[in-house]
Amino acid sequence: MRIKGDYHMHSRYSGDSNNDLEAIVQRAIELGLEEIAITDHGPSHNGYGIKRIEYWVLRREIDHLNEKYPQIKVLLGIEANILGVDGKIDLDEEMFELNDWVNAGYHFGSNLKNDYKIHLDNILSKFSKKIFNRAKTNNTKAMINAMRNNKIDMITHPGAKGPIDVEAVAKVAAETGTMLEINNSHGHLTTEEIMIAMKYPVKFVLNSDAHKIENIGSVEDSISRVIEAGLDPTRVYNIFIE
Ligand SMILES: [Zn+2]
Ligand SMILES: [Zn+2]
């Protein structure tokens, strides 16, 4: 089993990656990928977010690379942050106009001024059942509202940075046509979570979430989880069916 595209990776426009765009594209071609999405962190992440103004520059660089390397399609994506319980995302209209592919996920460190209570609950959820339950309720609400109120192609690493009700999320993802990620780097969706989500007519995507060049296209761990869960490969958006 292999993938034809990788829809989650970071470049030097994210604060936590040094990946050069052309090196990313060359590596993806080497691996035989047909399509990739460059998905840097949304601008409201206080440590790693892309600067809004740089989104124009990134668009131009990607257009140039698509001309230079016609053997692959490079999409301008984003890994937007899910903000607050009402599920806003940090992709404004101007950025949306430039964008080809929207990922959204929850991250510590986004919008610290307003969301510090949510982050604190998620960090402390390991130590108290009461906090765990509150965090789970709020994270689930945020994710559901984000899918209902925004045009999102895929939710990144659902449940990785804080607990969620996978069943409730999968139900709404099926309604809104939002895909759920089986992230190779973060361990979510887990095998058990895939088995819950696959009861609903939701699509899945396997991605590397590469922050380093050598990890682009690496989804071995995600594939193992697909097999363990008994998920039909035709339900995975980017699996290459031979
Ligand atoms: Zn992420
Ligand atoms: Zn990421």
Side-chain angles (χ1 to χ4, degrees):
M1 231 185 269
R2 64 187 180 93
I3 52 167
K4 50 189 172 187
D6 189 347
Y7 298 90
H8 185 175
M9 66 185 69
H10 296 270
S11 79
R12 63 184 174 79
Y13 288 93
S14 289
D16 54 353
S17 173
N18 290 320
N19 288 349
D20 173 70
L21 281 175
E22 187 154 13
I24 292 175
V25 172
Q26 287 170 346
R27 177 69 184 142
I29 291 170
E30 234 171 71
L31 293 166
L33 297 176
E34 294 167 11
E35 191 168 71
I36 56 169
I38 309 292
T39 57
D40 286 305
H41 291 290
S44 71
H45 195 288
N46 292 69
Y48 305 147
I50 187 169
K51 295 182 184 69
R52 281 188 68 254
I53 190 77
E54 286 184 344
Y55 212 54
W56 290 93
V57 185
L58 188 51
R59 175 75 268 174
R60 271 210 308 272
E61 277 199 56
I62 287 177
D63 289 345
H64 168 73
L65 288 166
N66 274 312
E67 271 172 38
K68 190 167 172 187
Y69 299 98
Q71 60 272 57
I72 190 166
K73 181 142 203 256
V74 185
L75 305 175
L76 170 56
I78 191 85
E79 185 178 13
N81 295 288
I82 296 176
L83 307 171
V85 176
D86 52 353
K88 288 197 178 61
I89 63 168
D90 54 353
L91 185 71
D92 61 28
E93 232 170 277
E94 257 177 70
M95 288 176 78
F96 185 76
E97 286 299 310
L98 299 168
N99 169 286
D100 305 312
W101 181 274
V102 182
N103 290 340
Y106 167 72
H107 299 93
F108 307 131
S110 60
N111 205 11
L112 288 175
K113 212 172 120 209
N114 296 317
D115 286 355
Y116 69 95
K117 278 190 184 152
I118 294 176
H119 301 323
L120 204 60
D121 270 3
N122 279 316
I123 291 162
L124 296 176
S125 64
K126 292 180 197 72
F127 309 107
S128 143
K129 191 72 196 158
K130 192 175 154 208
I131 298 176
F132 178 93
N133 288 335
R134 187 169 65 208
K136 186 171 170 178
T137 303
N138 286 334
N139 294 335
T140 305
K141 265 190 208 158
M143 215 167 261
I144 286 175
N145 287 333
M147 291 190 284
R148 288 209 166 122
N149 300 332
N150 303 280
K151 164 84 193 63
I152 296 170
D153 293 294
M154 186 194 92
I155 298 291
T156 59
H157 44 67
K161 319 259 174 186
I164 54 162
D165 179 341
V166 177
E167 185 136 15
V169 166
K171 216 182 271 184
V172 175
E175 274 167 38
T176 57
T178 314
M179 299 190 282
L180 298 181
E181 181 179 55
I182 303 171
N183 185 299
N184 197 66
S185 309
H186 286 296
H188 289 265
L189 298 171
T190 63
T191 302
E192 294 69 32
E193 289 166 341
I194 297 169
M195 290 170 83
I196 297 168
M198 68 195 229
K199 292 190 285 178
Y200 300 91
V202 59
K203 273 240 168 196
F204 300 86
V205 196
L206 316 182
N207 294 306
S208 67
D209 197 359
H211 288 69
K212 292 192 172 135
I213 296 287
E214 61 265 30
N215 294 333
I216 291 166
S218 294
V219 291
E220 296 77 13
D221 209 71
S222 304
I223 287 176
S224 314
R225 279 177 259 152
V226 168
I227 295 168
E228 274 166 28
L231 176 65
D232 176 357
T234 60
R235 292 186 60 184
V236 181
Y237 178 73
N238 58 341
I239 278 187
F240 192 91
I241 312 276
E242 267 143 301

